[in-house]
Amino acid sequence: MEFQVLIEEPVVVAAAVLILGVAVGYLVGKLNKELLTAAGLGEAVEGTPFERSAQSLGTSTVELVARVSSWFIYGIAVLTAIHIAQILDTDDFWIRLTQFVPRLFVAVIVLIGGLIVADKAELVVGERLRSVKLPEVSLIPQVVKYSILYVAVVIALGQVGVNVTALLILLAVYAAGIIVVGTVAFRHFLVSSAVGIYLLLNQPYGIGDEIRIGDQVGIVQEVDLFVTKIESDAEEYVVPNRKVFEDGMARVRD
């Protein structure tokens, strides 16, 4: 009889819920870690700054994401235990808290995902543009990275109830600024790519031809979308394709 009365006590039930929540949270974290590893998340984020930062702290991206899911369940268990034990009697507080915790969980996941995607996008874009020998191109990976981070922060703040109207307006201004500044800063880049398309389609010269572009004379070694590489006896020139349009091109005949 005393045992039955004991297990009906709110504090005892709350403690049991808390213990069960901790056990479930631990198991869910382990399961998520296995699933994320099997899905190849570890390989996908390998080499990113976020992954290197996680490893410097003795963990990994996969473990962090798995732990977030465990912490979410721990939080739910704690809140449920508090409610059962009647430590807080304010129903309005309970309702608001139970609404806020899932949003906070989503916000954290969005931030972590944003960091991972931004780092990976920076690496991929930088790798794709590595062969482009134009100084302006080095800014593109960073612009991509911080644009993704900004969007992730806006979404995360919106999830926790922050008024993001001003941030959305700032995002629109930022996007417009990127278009304007990009058009001005990368006009040579755009012209070079347009001329490169023309050269690749019409092939007025090819590899092995000796040509003169402006003051540079040499044998064509490579032609891509943005630059033409020509080599003389002592030097190699990397000529932006826009120079072909601006300075003209002439074949050197023997």
Side-chain angles (χ1 to χ4, degrees), residues 31-43 61-63 65-66:
L31 177 61
N32 281 341
K33 182 179 178 180
E34 295 294 332
L35 291 175
L36 292 171
T37 301
L41 179 62
E43 290 80 3
T61 301
V62 170
E63 289 183 359
V65 175

Side-chain angles (χ1 to χ4, degrees), residues 142-164:
Q142 295 182 7
V143 170
V144 172
K145 174 182 178 178
Y146 290 110
S147 298
I148 294 173
L149 284 177
Y150 188 91
V151 172
V153 169
V154 171
I155 295 174
L157 291 176
Q159 285 295 317
V160 296
V162 176
N163 189 342
V164 296

Side-chain angles (χ1 to χ4, degrees), residues 20-30 66 69-71 73-74:
L20 179 62
V22 170
V24 172
Y26 175 79
L27 292 175
V28 169
K30 294 287 287 184
S69 61
S70 294
W71 294 338
I73 295 177
Y74 296 156

Side-chain angles (χ1 to χ4, degrees), residues 103-252:
R103 293 179 179 177
L104 180 62
F105 172 73
V106 173
V108 172
I109 291 296
V110 167
L111 281 177
I112 293 176
L115 286 169
I116 295 171
V117 172
D119 286 341
K120 193 65 178 180
E122 182 184 25
L123 289 176
V124 171
V125 174
E127 185 67 26
R128 293 292 178 87
L129 298 177
R130 180 175 295 178
S131 61
V132 181
K133 307 300 182 181
L134 295 174
E136 299 92 342
V137 173
S138 62
L139 296 175
I140 295 179
Q142 295 182 7
V143 170
V144 172
K145 174 182 178 178
Y146 290 110
S147 298
I148 294 173
L149 284 177
Y150 188 91
V151 172
V153 169
V154 171
I155 295 174
L157 291 176
Q159 285 295 317
V160 296
V162 176
N163 189 342
V164 296
T165 303
L167 293 176
L168 290 174
I169 295 173
L170 185 60
L171 178 61
V173 174
Y174 168 78
I178 287 294
I179 294 173
V180 173
V181 173
T183 302
V184 174
F186 296 102
R187 63 186 184 279
H188 296 319
F189 175 80
L190 296 173
V191 172
S192 291
S193 63
V195 177
I197 293 173
Y198 169 80
L199 295 177
L200 292 173
L201 290 176
N202 293 277
Q203 297 183 344
Y205 54 82
I207 296 174
D209 292 340
E210 186 174 6
I211 63 173
R212 181 176 69 250
I213 302 175
D215 297 330
Q216 282 86 38
V217 178
I219 297 174
V220 178
Q221 302 296 315
E222 182 181 345
V223 182
D224 64 23
L225 188 62
F226 303 104
V227 298
T228 295
K229 297 180 182 179
I230 59 178
E231 187 178 80
S232 65
D233 294 335
E235 296 177 308
E236 181 182 41
Y237 303 104
V238 179
V239 184
N241 287 333
R242 63 182 174 83
K243 288 289 187 180
V244 178
F245 178 76
E246 295 172 355
D247 301 338
M249 179 276 299
R251 288 189 179 183
V252 178

Side-chain angles (χ1 to χ4, degrees), residues 45 48-65 67 112 115-116 119:
V45 301
T48 61
F50 187 87
E51 175 66 11
R52 290 197 298 268
S53 298
Q55 289 180 353
S56 68
L57 297 174
T59 183
S60 66
T61 301
V62 170
E63 289 183 359
L64 283 176
V65 175
R67 287 178 185 177
I112 293 176
L115 286 169
I116 295 171
D119 286 341

Side-chain angles (χ1 to χ4, degrees), residues 72 76 79 95-109 159-160:
F72 174 69
I76 293 296
L79 294 175
I95 293 172
R96 290 178 180 273
L97 200 58
T98 52
Q99 291 175 344
F100 177 75
V101 170
R103 293 179 179 177
L104 180 62
F105 172 73
V106 173
V108 172
I109 291 296
Q159 285 295 317
V160 296

